[in-house]
Amino acid sequence: NANDDDDDSSNKNEKHEKKVVNAENFIFQSSNFFSSHAKEQQNDASSNFHSSNMATFLKSGPLPSMKRLKNWKHPNSPMVLVITLSARRSVELMKQLSTLRLPIAKLFAKHMNIDDQVQLLSGGVGKKGLISGDGGGGKGKGNSPHKCYGIGVGTPGRLLALLNHGKNESSYGGALRLNHTELIVIDCHEDSKGFNVCTMKDTSKELMDFMKEGVVPELSERAGNMKLALF
């Protein structure tokens, strides 16, 4: 129930400092990653899995539950978090995701300041009245002043900033929390020079810091309840 969720979230945040220290010695296992092999064994038409469209990719296997995604009820912690190379790439992926007809949190710097993003993650509205970044896909409930975003798309630097925003003032963690997040998608799209989010100098360190401070602690604490996927 809701109280159990709150208690569980609180307990995880109380262990935050301990988890960051343990992240130093964390070793990634194959079980931490979504694998297409199981999907291929169940579906002979597995060729559709290797898609260049993010929405198709998610629906082909990595997404744990579309029903749960559509009814996501956890503020500050999107069910699916997509990490991209740049704001431009983020916008491109949001357009692909618009076919899901779900609100998407814009978690990159272009056209949106961090205070607005802090408010939208908590279910409120920003100074500009921004309540969703649905890529054109939000409807109906998109007009509500209170919303939980099942999908977030962002760049490592802004995600790291949101992860740490207000952390020292709150016992529950920063503006962005991963205590309920179920899927982290690392977008491996390469730019014109052949760099991706993992290899570009401007993003690689911030990505590694985000993984160390945010993702690895949750993978360690919630084995089996959070997966990584490479797109």
Side-chain angles (χ1 to χ4, degrees), residues 1-26:
N1 57 40
N3 290 333
D4 291 337
D5 287 342
D6 291 341
D7 291 342
D8 187 55
S9 174
S10 177
N11 289 337
K12 284 183 173 63
N13 283 296
E14 288 175 1
K15 299 177 182 179
H16 177 74
E17 292 186 4
K18 178 181 178 181
K19 290 191 294 183
V20 169
V21 174
N22 289 343
E24 295 285 352
N25 300 318
F26 183 83

Side-chain angles (χ1 to χ4, degrees), residues 44-56:
D44 291 335
S46 59
S47 58
N48 290 330
F49 175 82
H50 300 285
S51 173
S52 60
N53 181 281
M54 178 62 75
T56 303

Side-chain angles (χ1 to χ4, degrees), residues 29-43 46 49-50 57-58 60-63 183-184 226-230:
Q29 306 292 332
S30 59
S31 59
N32 297 134
F33 293 85
F34 170 80
S35 171
S36 64
H37 295 311
K39 183 74 175 178
E40 291 171 356
Q41 293 173 359
Q42 296 173 10
N43 184 2
S46 59
F49 175 82
H50 300 285
F57 171 75
L58 291 179
S60 68
L63 184 65
L183 179 65
I184 302 289
M226 175 190 275
K227 294 286 186 181
L228 299 173
L230 304 179

Side-chain angles (χ1 to χ4, degrees), residues 112-217:
M112 198 168 186
N113 64 48
I114 195 168
D115 291 331
D116 285 321
Q117 291 166 333
V118 168
Q119 292 188 54
L120 77 83
L121 282 170
S122 65
V125 298
K127 295 178 180 179
K128 299 179 181 179
L130 297 170
I131 60 175
S132 70
D134 57 14
K139 60 186 295 186
K141 293 181 180 179
N143 294 321
S144 170
H146 300 288
K147 178 187 295 293
C148 292
Y149 291 83
I151 303 177
V153 179
T155 51
R158 181 51 60 94
L159 293 175
L160 184 62
L162 288 165
L163 184 74
N164 292 312
H165 190 282
K167 183 183 292 185
N168 295 332
E169 290 76 36
S170 172
S171 61
Y172 294 99
L176 174 63
R177 305 163 197 167
L178 306 181
N179 55 320
H180 292 289
T181 300
E182 299 181 20
L183 179 65
I184 302 289
V185 180
I186 298 177
D187 173 39
C188 298
H189 170 80
E190 294 182 349
D191 66 7
S192 60
K193 296 183 179 180
F195 293 105
N196 61 39
V197 70
C198 300
T199 59
M200 177 176 276
K201 183 178 180 181
D202 291 343
T203 59
S204 59
K205 183 182 185 303
E206 292 170 331
L207 174 62
M208 293 304 104
D209 287 343
F210 181 76
M211 296 293 290
K212 174 184 173 182
E213 297 179 27
V215 177
V216 167

